[in-house]
Amino acid sequence: MANKKNVLLCVTGGIAVFKAASLTSQLSQRGYNVKVMMTESAMKFVTPLTFQTLSRNPVYNDTFDEKDPSGVAHIDLADWADIVLIAPATANMIGKIANGLADDMISTTLLATTAPVMVAPAMNVHMFEHPSVKANMERLAIYGYRFIEPGEGLLACGYVGKGRLAEPEEIIRAVNQYFIEKSKQPLTGQHILITAGPTREKVDPVRFFTNRSSGKMGYALAEVAQSLGARVTLISGPTALPDPFGVEVVRITSAKEMFHVVMKQYESSDVVIKSAAVADYQPKEVFTQKLKKKDTTLSIEMERTQDILQELGKQKQHQVLVGFAAETNDVEKYAKEKLERKNLDIVVANNVSEQGSGFDGDTNKVVIYGKDGHRIESELVSKKEIAKLVFAEITRYTKGKTEK
Ligand code: CTP
């Protein structure tokens, strides 16, 4: 395999652990880098030495057994993995991860990874059919986990039915298939930086200036980019939205914080989409104590924040830069002016005073202008559909650039 992929195999405790040994061996033979993590119960069935020998890598079990002081093992492994495989997955582990528990190394690592996760359950037929287990699996499927269905037949417990761990060959086929599909996705290999939501500019310990952005557009962009194969970093202001699956999320509060985080990630990015509603002004002075009311009027002096997008435009090298323009009038004029002034490649403009395309809604209606003169107008559709249109435009634009 030209580009060796990293498989983090999480082995949880059931009789099917013996099959995970064969799975490790076959994955290694097929050119995957395999690292194995085991639960305490899994180690009661097969020793870590078996997996160490078959994977030619150390086996991990204890979150607190930090052998390398320069790193944090469960985070490093979470980042290392191109795919995480849980095989066999017990009802207990499925229940833990569906509910966000992290009381052992596997469940902790699973919360920390943004890699895709494949789950191969193995358990007694009645356990597999239990409504709690089913509900947990359904929840994980919503979060984007993929399942490799257990087989039917005589189970180790003596029952006949569904619950037998899928055969190693079948699991490997699913892993191979995943990488084949991924390599065909339009945004594979690209690092996409997306900003979303409002910023908060502090006045005093209890007050701040903000705006009505919900972050929904930026989160939809992140979700779509991830599903198209990109590595996505979402830099988000305060929102009520959950982290999109498989996306690295960095939460910030102020425009200044957003500036620093964006700049740090700029060089490694291929595409930057600035959908955040960044404050243009911040209080010149931040009071350390709560401002007390008086009978007179109150003036707060504001100073300009740094225009992040403009700075990105100045420092642009290979990146494709996409800005947003939320306007209430003269949309085309202002959008084109932003495209020029901020050295953008694409600008997504919307009239926020039009019904259905303002802040906080689930729909939007936009006009997308490219630096190459291309213009496309959407209908009033969901923000997810808008996100798809934006990536179609980015793909069209970059293709045009490389063909020149
Ligand atoms: N933006 C930014 N940093 C800022 C302000 C805005 O990166 N400090 C980005 C937004 O994320 C968005 C675009 O710039 O992509 C919006 O352009 P901007 O000219 O700032 O629009 P408005 O804030 O609406 O300002 P104006 O009053 O000029 O219309």
Side-chain angles (χ1 to χ4, degrees):
M1 197 180 287
N3 196 353
K4 276 186 134 193
K5 298 292 182 199
N6 299 335
V7 179
L8 179 63
L9 176 60
C10 298
V11 182
T12 69
I15 183 63
V17 172
F18 79 94
K19 280 196 192 172
S22 164
L23 177 61
T24 307
S25 164
Q26 293 191 47
L27 282 167
S28 302
Q29 283 174 36
R30 280 162 204 252
Y32 288 103
N33 291 319
V34 187
K35 289 189 180 176
V36 178
M37 206 178 263
M38 300 178 81
T39 57
E40 288 293 322
S41 341
M43 293 196 303
K44 293 196 171 133
F45 290 95
V46 178
T47 65
L49 184 61
T50 307
F51 288 98
Q52 178 179 306
T53 313
L54 294 170
S55 68
R56 300 287 156 118
N57 275 312
V59 171
Y60 302 83
N61 154 257
D62 184 352
T63 323
F64 303 100
D65 180 19
E66 290 287 4
K67 292 199 169 61
D68 176 5
S70 68
V72 177
H74 67 277
I75 302 294
D76 292 348
L77 287 163
D79 293 344
W80 172 85
D82 291 311
I83 193 165
V84 180
L85 200 53
I86 318 176
T90 57
N92 181 47
M93 185 55 74
I94 290 170
K96 283 206 279 191
I97 51 182
N99 291 284
L101 300 184
D103 64 349
D104 67 344
M105 195 168 184
I106 291 183
S107 51
T108 308
T109 308
L110 282 160
L111 285 189
T113 195
T114 56
V117 182
M118 267 185 194
V119 186
M123 63 196 76
N124 161 276
V125 57
H126 297 315
M127 288 171 85
F128 187 69
E129 282 167 2
H130 194 283
S132 302
V133 177
K134 280 207 173 318
N136 287 332
M137 291 196 288
E138 276 160 21
R139 185 188 282 191
L140 288 176
I142 292 169
Y143 296 161
Y145 284 60
R146 293 148 214 259
F147 282 84
I148 304 169
E149 287 278 302
E152 280 189 47
L154 179 64
L155 305 176
C157 53
Y159 274 92
V160 175
K162 197 167 181 178
R164 199 160 69 179
L165 179 68
E167 294 306 317
E169 293 73 18
E170 199 183 323
I171 298 176
I172 291 173
R173 214 174 302 131
V175 173
N176 287 341
Q177 192 57 34
Y178 165 77
F179 285 114
I180 290 168
E181 275 169 24
K182 192 169 164 60
S183 69
K184 287 188 196 150
Q185 286 177 309
L187 299 179
T188 293
Q190 301 223 28
H191 180 204
I192 299 193
L193 197 64
I194 297 168
T195 69
T199 63
R200 281 182 189 171
E201 310 305 327
K202 247 175 120 170
V203 177
D204 70 10
V206 296
R207 302 180 179 97
F208 52 79
F209 285 97
T210 191
N211 58 64
R212 287 177 50 207
S213 168
S214 63
K216 284 179 184 170
M217 190 62 244
Y219 279 59
L221 285 161
E223 206 179 293
V224 169
Q226 195 274 342
S227 72
L228 293 174
R231 173 163 86 82
V232 185
T233 305
L234 176 66
I235 300 166
S236 173
T239 68
L241 305 172
D243 291 1
F245 183 79
V247 168
E248 183 200 0
V249 182
V250 184
R251 300 235 176 218
I252 53 88
T253 307
S254 65
K256 199 171 180 181
E257 279 177 73
M258 182 176 278
F259 178 82
H260 290 299
V261 179
V262 169
M263 285 303 167
K264 234 194 222 162
Q265 305 250 10
Y266 193 33
E267 204 180 323
S268 70
S269 306
D270 300 293
V271 178
V272 182
I273 309 179
K274 288 235 62 226
S275 68
V278 187
D280 290 321
Y281 291 90
Q282 63 193 13
K284 199 164 177 190
E285 185 182 357
V286 179
F287 297 92
T288 52
Q289 292 183 329
K290 188 183 156 202
L291 279 180
K292 300 301 283 181
K293 66 175 162 300
K294 295 188 184 124
D295 289 335
T296 54
T297 56
L298 171 71
S299 301
I300 293 177
E301 202 177 346
M302 306 287 277
E303 62 183 4
R304 282 294 306 270
T305 55
Q306 190 150 8
D307 192 320
I308 309 168
L309 193 53
Q310 191 141 345
E311 190 54 37
L312 295 174
K314 275 190 205 147
Q315 295 187 23
K316 187 162 77 173
Q317 291 170 342
H318 57 279
Q319 297 88 347
V320 172
L321 209 51
V322 183
F324 270 71
E327 311 290 349
T328 54
N329 54 290
D330 299 306
V331 179
E332 177 161 351
K333 180 173 149 239
Y334 288 131
K336 285 186 169 166
E337 182 268 328
K338 272 173 198 162
L339 189 74
E340 194 68 31
R341 179 165 48 89
K342 301 198 184 194
N343 190 21
L344 307 180
D345 296 282
I346 290 170
V347 66
V348 183
N350 64 340
N351 188 334
V352 284
S353 59
E354 261 181 43
Q355 214 179 10
S357 76
F359 284 118
D360 203 22
D362 291 316
T363 54
N364 208 350
K365 184 174 188 300
V366 301
V367 188
I368 306 177
Y369 301 93
K371 193 174 148 186
D372 55 4
H374 197 260
R375 175 191 187 279
I376 186 162
E377 192 169 346
S378 80
E379 298 292 323
L380 179 66
V381 287
S382 71
K383 288 188 170 167
K384 197 160 177 186
E385 288 307 314
I386 298 286
K388 287 183 192 164
L389 192 64
V390 170
F391 285 110
E393 264 314 284
I394 293 172
T395 310
R396 183 202 61 77
Y397 178 86
T398 30
K399 204 161 160 244
K401 240 172 61 165
T402 47
E403 279 170 1
K404 266 185 195 160

